Amino acid sequence: MTHQPQSGARATGQFTHLDEHGHAHMVDVTAKPPTLRIATARCVVVTTSEAIASLDGSPGGIDPIEAARVAGLQGAKATGSLIPLCHPLRLDAISLDIRLNENHLEIVAICQIVERTGVEMEALTACALAALSLVGSLLERDPTAVVEELTLWHKSGGRSGPWQKMTHEDRAGT
Amino acid sequence: MTHQPQSGARATGQFTHLDEHGHAHMVDVTAKPPTLRIATARCVVVTTSEAIASLDGSPGGIDPIEAARVAGLQGAKATGSLIPLCHPLRLDAISLDIRLNENHLEIVAICQIVERTGVEMEALTACALAALSLVGSLLERDPTAVVEELTLWHKSGGRSGPWQKMTHEDRAGT
Amino acid sequence: MTHQPQSGARATGQFTHLDEHGHAHMVDVTAKPPTLRIATARCVVVTTSEAIASLDGSPGGIDPIEAARVAGLQGAKATGSLIPLCHPLRLDAISLDIRLNENHLEIVAICQIVERTGVEMEALTACALAALSLVGSLLERDPTAVVEELTLWHKSGGRSGPWQKMTHEDRAGT
Amino acid sequence: MTHQPQSGARATGQFTHLDEHGHAHMVDVTAKPPTLRIATARCVVVTTSEAIASLDGSPGGIDPIEAARVAGLQGAKATGSLIPLCHPLRLDAISLDIRLNENHLEIVAICQIVERTGVEMEALTACALAALSLVGSLLERDPTAVVEELTLWHKSGGRSGPWQKMTHEDRAGT
Amino acid sequence: MTHQPQSGARATGQFTHLDEHGHAHMVDVTAKPPTLRIATARCVVVTTSEAIASLDGSPGGIDPIEAARVAGLQGAKATGSLIPLCHPLRLDAISLDIRLNENHLEIVAICQIVERTGVEMEALTACALAALSLVGSLLERDPTAVVEELTLWHKSGGRSGPWQKMTHEDRAGT
Amino acid sequence: MTHQPQSGARATGQFTHLDEHGHAHMVDVTAKPPTLRIATARCVVVTTSEAIASLDGSPGGIDPIEAARVAGLQGAKATGSLIPLCHPLRLDAISLDIRLNENHLEIVAICQIVERTGVEMEALTACALAALSLVGSLLERDPTAVVEELTLWHKSGGRSGPWQKMTHEDRAGT
């Protein structure tokens, strides 16, 4: 073994040094008290009315809408393993709603937790995976199906307080 | 980016609507206090005495009983990612015991947690995966091996209090 | 570093030794040609008629039957990561059917692959996870719900040829 | 055990019945020959120029662009476990490119495989997870960051032959 | 079904028996109060200076150092699913630092949590997976690359109090 | 949906550009024929004889040696999801052997596959995870337990042909 081991003094120094410079890759949240956090995210899947009609499913097959809900739910729980900089969390509640419109589907996810960090990414991941699952079911009929407007709509809890996405109406003063 | 956002009034209304109707797909448990929860589950694997004898393992190979214990343990920890409607939990303790009898194996799993929700599904999943792992080791000798009686036997903690499965003796008044 | 490194000669000898004794923990299948393999597994979930009626789901919630189908599907794909001695496989097809009867649910899963090893464990895992998901949905109404008769029913492909579970009628000569 | 076991004849009939009705939940692809499949997907993340400037990363922290690339890569490999109706695949190649523009980021993913089924969903999932990872890094500065235009752009291989998304220029005849 | 069900009395007895003998396979930690736990682990990857120079990456490719950091981070979060006897934890913070020296790379990981059990294994797993990822990037140029000195360096929190690895200098009395 | 799509000319140009520069993040292996690949890796865990004696396990608990074997096996199968730049593979065979010596444990893993890419990383990951699992079992008795010499020992198959690590004896001309 030709590798020259580091002297202990330097090694110990380095660990301290590391702390000093705060090379925290997953941000430290131990100092924050656990509080109730809620986040809402939303997206749409734009497609054709024919493709949406096909989502009713063939008899005996899995319902594509239900499969997408489950994909969203399981995605929300897996957020920490899917997104490198996210903390692993044990969500206390998830709501995932899919609405069929004439030429698009609308997905809204709400996540809740009593924790030291927020659940914005969990709500966004739930929407994204539900949308991907729907696109997978639409793809044979409509390879041009597109996911749009995937964004956070609302959050509450934590130091920064509640936040709500401003809309055109809000900005116009109504 | 010229994308036309949805009007805020409708969008906000929809989210509220969602809340009103309580479309909670993974039930909200944030209002419950964390308490000690314990659950016990059990199942049997019915097979032949020859197949059970073969579980001693070939020298050098992995012990099928130990592999099944690990499968059960890891399954219990993965319950939230395997069962869509289950909360993700960080179990505080798991016991998994496998007993060899003449023509069947008996599996008992006990899970514990200090949490807002119970661990019944974790104990059942531990039993099921240990049983599947055993069936996998038995299959070449006995393709008719069958998992029976996979059920909850006991739980305590939480609002509903302790519960114990009634047995034939209990029902007979002994 | 006080650890005494092993001499190369002994180390090389050990690897050969390992080969000689065939300590294959996940059995070697490289010599087998890929062929079409099919396996069918089945189980039942025994419960009360009231609990089965409750599976219709609350409006807006996820359908428990659909969630169980997805749990079974995803479980079949995850078999290699759930069962230590199973090969990781990329299944070519999965069918999972759930039937509601008066006081029990019946689950049948069929898996297919063109591969060097069979898919019996994938079909059994699909059934087990669908059953666990259903039990999770039934548990509040019926904590005595029990999974029974989880077993292989049919397999074809591979060296050993087709196999079918004998039933009472078969044994009686009808 | 009061459950009345099904007679073998009916049980066998049911399995055949299942086959007849083709309740294939993950579509059977065993009859297709493996061919080279390529798919390209793309999306954008719309945000502010200040937020994009912050992606250069703090010294010592993980580079958010590199983290997003890895998230996309790992997401592509996990597609089968994230999307219920997708086959599990072992991708032969993945390219994932992220471009920084003044007020948006552009993500392009290309997946390749020699297989019986296409990789459209893998390319879309790679884009979606890279986008989610970027949004996670942008969220503190810009909670309004939004993922747009997540869609398939090109695919080749398989029975249906090559397909390319038509653009405005294509439609206008240029 | 010829299996002879166990009488309830014996079954109940067995569960108690199990408790008495404390067959806890994942140690029970419910009685411990949650406290701040910190653990530091470290390892080196010994290789050639030419191979280290190649880690700068080809233009457009993923940076191997960043990929290794992400592998370490994700590995730390997955410790409970990778190591059978480890509790599943939701880490509050992870730092992972990689230093390039002339003929070796040094990896230091620090994990933090407010929990009932320590994070030593999480810090070690972070180092191991970052090291494996680096070896994977080095392998084409240097198949002899070797991971050395993977060990715990420091821990604090919990009943046993702080602990620090003694170094050569410590032992020499400096 | 009034969203303004990007012009096709620029988008198409970008995809071609991407191809030209070969931004392949997971290297393309579609052009290689599948051949039999074998790789052997090895490491040691250095500890005290007292700690090694404690690995016999408490009666009723899981055998730490068997748990480590399973951790190694499952780690090898998960390599593609743990190491960003690794292809996902479906291993055809894994051997994992652990030997107890007076003050160290020796781990040897052999992986086999018929595939377009090698299994060196799978063998190394098997060793690393078995070693981590053992360290986890040793940690209470010996927090100084250290993993050493984790490296590739042998590989065969593929374009570059067989390769064997040179040992001291080899170098000395014996």
Side-chain angles (χ1 to χ4, degrees):
Chain A
M1 201 47 48
T2 62
H3 159 68
Q4 185 68 23
Q6 285 227 310
S7 80
R10 270 190 294 138
T12 307
Q14 284 172 339
F15 302 155
T16 313
H17 185 253
L18 187 79
D19 281 339
E20 271 167 20
H21 286 64
H23 290 188
H25 297 156
M26 200 179 74
V27 180
D28 183 7
V29 297
T30 48
K32 301 183 184 181
T35 56
L36 176 62
R37 315 290 191 118
I38 305 176
T40 304
R42 175 187 172 275
C43 72
V44 294
V45 178
V46 186
T47 181
T48 63
S49 51
E50 289 78 15
I52 287 175
S54 76
L55 289 180
D56 280 346
S58 53
I62 280 182
D63 181 330
I65 303 292
E66 293 294 319
R69 280 175 162 177
V70 174
L73 229 72
Q74 296 300 70
K77 293 190 235 171
T79 303
S81 71
L82 295 173
I83 309 296
L85 303 179
C86 281
H87 289 81
L89 297 178
R90 38 135 207 75
L91 288 170
D92 286 317
I94 313 171
S95 294
L96 199 145
D97 206 54
I98 300 173
R99 281 154 198 253
L100 281 70
N101 297 291
E102 189 172 337
N103 68 346
H104 71 280
L105 301 140
E106 184 185 9
I107 305 166
V108 177
I110 306 178
C111 292
Q112 286 192 41
I113 201 170
V114 177
E115 192 43 276
R116 294 181 179 88
T117 180
V119 287
E120 294 90 332
M121 287 308 299
E122 279 71 16
L124 286 162
T125 303
C127 285
L129 284 164
L132 284 171
S133 188
L134 289 169
V135 168
S137 297
L138 295 164
L139 218 52
E140 199 178 352
R141 301 234 175 189
D142 178 15
T144 71
V146 55
V147 182
E148 301 277 2
E149 302 176 29
L150 172 60
T151 192
L152 188 68
W153 273 83
H154 167 266
K155 64 171 172 167
S156 65
R159 208 171 29 189
S160 59
W163 174 89
Q164 176 117 14
K165 194 179 180 73
M166 269 222 317
T167 60
H168 284 260
E169 279 76 5
D170 294 334
R171 282 192 281 259
T174 50
Chain B
M1 203 48 47
T2 63
H3 151 72
Q4 184 71 19
Q6 283 227 316
S7 86
R10 271 188 295 136
T12 306
Q14 284 171 337
F15 302 152
T16 311
H17 184 254
L18 187 77
D19 280 340
E20 271 166 18
H21 285 64
H23 291 189
H25 296 156
M26 198 179 76
V27 180
D28 184 6
V29 296
T30 48
K32 300 184 185 181
T35 57
L36 176 62
R37 315 288 191 119
I38 304 177
T40 304
R42 175 186 171 275
C43 72
V44 293
V45 178
V46 186
T47 181
T48 64
S49 52
E50 289 77 16
I52 286 176
S54 77
L55 288 180
D56 280 346
S58 51
I62 281 182
D63 181 331
I65 303 292
E66 293 293 318
R69 279 175 163 177
V70 174
L73 229 73
Q74 296 300 72
K77 294 189 232 171
T79 303
S81 71
L82 295 174
I83 309 297
L85 303 179
C86 281
H87 290 81
L89 296 178
R90 39 137 204 75
L91 287 171
D92 285 317
I94 312 172
S95 294
L96 197 144
D97 206 53
I98 299 173
R99 281 157 197 249
L100 281 69
N101 298 291
E102 190 174 334
N103 69 346
H104 70 280
L105 301 140
E106 184 185 10
I107 305 167
V108 177
I110 306 178
C111 292
Q112 286 192 39
I113 201 170
V114 177
E115 194 43 279
R116 295 184 180 85
T117 181
V119 287
E120 293 90 334
M121 287 309 298
E122 280 71 14
L124 286 162
T125 303
C127 285
L129 284 163
L132 284 171
S133 187
L134 289 170
V135 169
S137 297
L138 295 164
L139 218 51
E140 200 178 349
R141 301 234 174 188
D142 179 14
T144 70
V146 55
V147 183
E148 300 277 3
E149 303 176 27
L150 172 60
T151 191
L152 188 68
W153 272 82
H154 168 267
K155 64 171 173 166
S156 65
R159 208 171 29 188
S160 58
W163 174 90
Q164 176 117 14
K165 194 180 180 73
M166 270 220 316
T167 60
H168 288 268
E169 280 74 8
D170 294 335
R171 280 192 283 259
T174 50
Chain C
M1 200 49 46
T2 62
H3 157 69
Q4 186 68 23
Q6 285 225 311
S7 80
R10 270 189 293 140
T12 307
Q14 284 172 337
F15 301 155
T16 311
H17 185 252
L18 187 79
D19 282 339
E20 271 166 20
H21 284 65
H23 291 189
H25 296 155
M26 200 179 76
V27 181
D28 183 6
V29 296
T30 47
K32 300 184 187 180
T35 56
L36 176 63
R37 314 290 191 118
I38 306 177
T40 304
R42 175 186 172 274
C43 72
V44 294
V45 179
V46 185
T47 181
T48 64
S49 52
E50 290 76 16
I52 287 175
S54 77
L55 289 180
D56 280 346
S58 53
I62 281 182
D63 181 331
I65 303 292
E66 293 293 318
R69 279 176 164 177
V70 174
L73 229 73
Q74 297 299 72
K77 292 190 234 171
T79 302
S81 71
L82 296 173
I83 309 298
L85 302 179
C86 282
H87 290 81
L89 297 178
R90 37 136 207 76
L91 289 170
D92 285 317
I94 312 172
S95 293
L96 198 145
D97 206 53
I98 299 173
R99 279 156 198 251
L100 281 70
N101 298 291
E102 190 171 337
N103 68 346
H104 70 280
L105 301 139
E106 183 185 11
I107 305 167
V108 177
I110 305 177
C111 293
Q112 287 192 39
I113 200 170
V114 176
E115 192 44 278
R116 295 182 179 85
T117 181
V119 288
E120 293 90 332
M121 288 308 300
E122 280 69 16
L124 286 162
T125 304
C127 285
L129 284 164
L132 284 171
S133 187
L134 289 169
V135 168
S137 298
L138 295 164
L139 216 52
E140 200 178 351
R141 302 234 174 189
D142 178 14
T144 71
V146 55
V147 182
E148 300 276 4
E149 302 175 27
L150 172 60
T151 193
L152 188 67
W153 273 82
H154 168 267
K155 64 172 172 166
S156 64
R159 208 171 28 186
S160 58
W163 174 90
Q164 176 116 14
K165 194 180 179 71
M166 270 220 318
T167 61
H168 288 268
E169 280 75 5
D170 294 334
R171 282 191 281 256
T174 49
Chain D
M1 200 51 43
T2 62
H3 159 68
Q4 185 69 25
Q6 286 226 310
S7 79
R10 268 190 294 138
T12 307
Q14 283 172 339
F15 303 153
T16 312
H17 184 252
L18 188 78
D19 282 340
E20 271 167 18
H21 284 65
H23 290 189
H25 296 156
M26 199 179 76
V27 179
D28 184 6
V29 296
T30 47
K32 299 185 187 180
T35 57
L36 176 63
R37 314 290 191 116
I38 304 176
T40 303
R42 176 187 172 276
C43 72
V44 294
V45 179
V46 185
T47 181
T48 64
S49 50
E50 290 77 16
I52 287 176
S54 77
L55 288 180
D56 280 345
S58 54
I62 281 181
D63 181 332
I65 304 292
E66 294 292 319
R69 279 176 164 178
V70 174
L73 230 71
Q74 297 299 72
K77 293 189 234 172
T79 302
S81 70
L82 296 173
I83 309 297
L85 303 179
C86 281
H87 290 80
L89 296 178
R90 38 135 206 76
L91 287 170
D92 285 317
I94 313 172
S95 294
L96 196 145
D97 206 54
I98 300 174
R99 281 157 197 250
L100 282 69
N101 298 292
E102 190 172 336
N103 69 346
H104 70 281
L105 300 139
E106 183 184 11
I107 304 167
V108 177
I110 306 178
C111 292
Q112 287 191 41
I113 200 170
V114 177
E115 194 43 279
R116 294 184 180 84
T117 180
V119 286
E120 294 89 332
M121 287 309 297
E122 280 70 16
L124 286 162
T125 303
C127 284
L129 283 165
L132 283 170
S133 187
L134 289 169
V135 169
S137 297
L138 294 163
L139 218 51
E140 200 179 349
R141 302 235 173 187
D142 179 16
T144 70
V146 55
V147 182
E148 300 277 3
E149 304 176 26
L150 173 60
T151 193
L152 188 68
W153 272 83
H154 167 266
K155 64 172 172 166
S156 65
R159 206 172 31 188
S160 59
W163 174 89
Q164 175 116 15
K165 194 180 180 71
M166 268 222 318
T167 61
H168 283 260
E169 279 76 4
D170 294 335
R171 282 192 282 258
T174 49
Chain E
M1 201 48 45
T2 63
H3 157 71
Q4 184 69 22
Q6 286 226 309
S7 80
R10 270 189 293 138
T12 307
Q14 284 172 337
F15 302 155
T16 312
H17 186 252
L18 188 79
D19 281 339
E20 271 165 20
H21 285 64
H23 291 190
H25 295 156
M26 201 179 75
V27 180
D28 184 6
V29 296
T30 47
K32 301 184 184 180
T35 57
L36 176 63
R37 314 289 190 119
I38 305 177
T40 304
R42 175 187 171 274
C43 71
V44 294
V45 178
V46 185
T47 181
T48 64
S49 51
E50 290 76 16
I52 288 176
S54 76
L55 289 179
D56 280 346
S58 54
I62 281 182
D63 181 330
I65 304 291
E66 293 293 319
R69 280 175 162 177
V70 174
L73 230 72
Q74 296 300 72
K77 292 189 234 170
T79 303
S81 71
L82 295 173
I83 310 296
L85 302 178
C86 282
H87 290 82
L89 297 178
R90 39 135 205 74
L91 288 170
D92 285 317
I94 312 171
S95 294
L96 198 145
D97 206 54
I98 299 174
R99 281 159 198 247
L100 281 69
N101 297 291
E102 191 172 336
N103 68 345
H104 70 280
L105 301 140
E106 185 184 9
I107 305 167
V108 177
I110 305 178
C111 292
Q112 287 192 41
I113 201 170
V114 176
E115 192 46 275
R116 294 182 180 86
T117 181
V119 286
E120 293 89 333
M121 286 310 298
E122 280 70 16
L124 286 162
T125 304
C127 285
L129 284 164
L132 284 171
S133 187
L134 289 169
V135 168
S137 297
L138 295 164
L139 217 52
E140 200 179 351
R141 301 232 175 191
D142 179 15
T144 71
V146 54
V147 182
E148 300 277 3
E149 304 177 25
L150 172 60
T151 193
L152 188 67
W153 273 82
H154 168 268
K155 63 171 172 168
S156 65
R159 209 172 26 187
S160 58
W163 175 89
Q164 176 116 15
K165 194 182 181 71
M166 269 221 317
T167 60
H168 288 268
E169 280 75 6
D170 293 336
R171 281 193 281 257
T174 47
Chain F
M1 204 49 46
T2 62
H3 151 72
Q4 184 70 21
Q6 284 228 313
S7 84
R10 271 188 295 137
T12 307
Q14 284 171 338
F15 302 153
T16 312
H17 184 254
L18 187 78
D19 280 340
E20 270 166 21
H21 285 63
H23 290 189
H25 295 156
M26 200 178 75
V27 180
D28 183 6
V29 296
T30 46
K32 300 185 187 181
T35 56
L36 175 62
R37 314 289 190 120
I38 304 177
T40 305
R42 175 186 171 274
C43 72
V44 293
V45 178
V46 185
T47 180
T48 63
S49 50
E50 290 77 17
I52 287 175
S54 77
L55 289 180
D56 279 347
S58 52
I62 280 181
D63 181 331
I65 304 291
E66 293 294 319
R69 279 176 164 176
V70 174
L73 230 72
Q74 296 301 71
K77 292 190 234 170
T79 303
S81 71
L82 296 173
I83 310 296
L85 303 179
C86 282
H87 291 81
L89 297 178
R90 39 137 204 74
L91 287 170
D92 286 316
I94 312 173
S95 295
L96 198 145
D97 205 53
I98 299 175
R99 281 157 198 250
L100 281 69
N101 297 292
E102 191 173 334
N103 69 345
H104 70 279
L105 302 140
E106 184 185 8
I107 305 166
V108 177
I110 306 178
C111 292
Q112 287 192 39
I113 201 171
V114 176
E115 194 42 278
R116 293 183 180 85
T117 180
V119 287
E120 293 91 332
M121 287 309 299
E122 279 70 16
L124 286 162
T125 303
C127 284
L129 284 164
L132 284 170
S133 187
L134 289 170
V135 169
S137 297
L138 295 164
L139 217 51
E140 200 178 349
R141 301 234 175 190
D142 178 15
T144 70
V146 54
V147 182
E148 300 277 3
E149 304 177 26
L150 172 60
T151 192
L152 187 68
W153 272 82
H154 168 266
K155 64 172 172 167
S156 65
R159 206 172 28 187
S160 58
W163 174 90
Q164 176 116 13
K165 194 181 179 71
M166 269 220 317
T167 61
H168 287 269
E169 280 74 7
D170 294 336
R171 279 192 283 257
T174 50

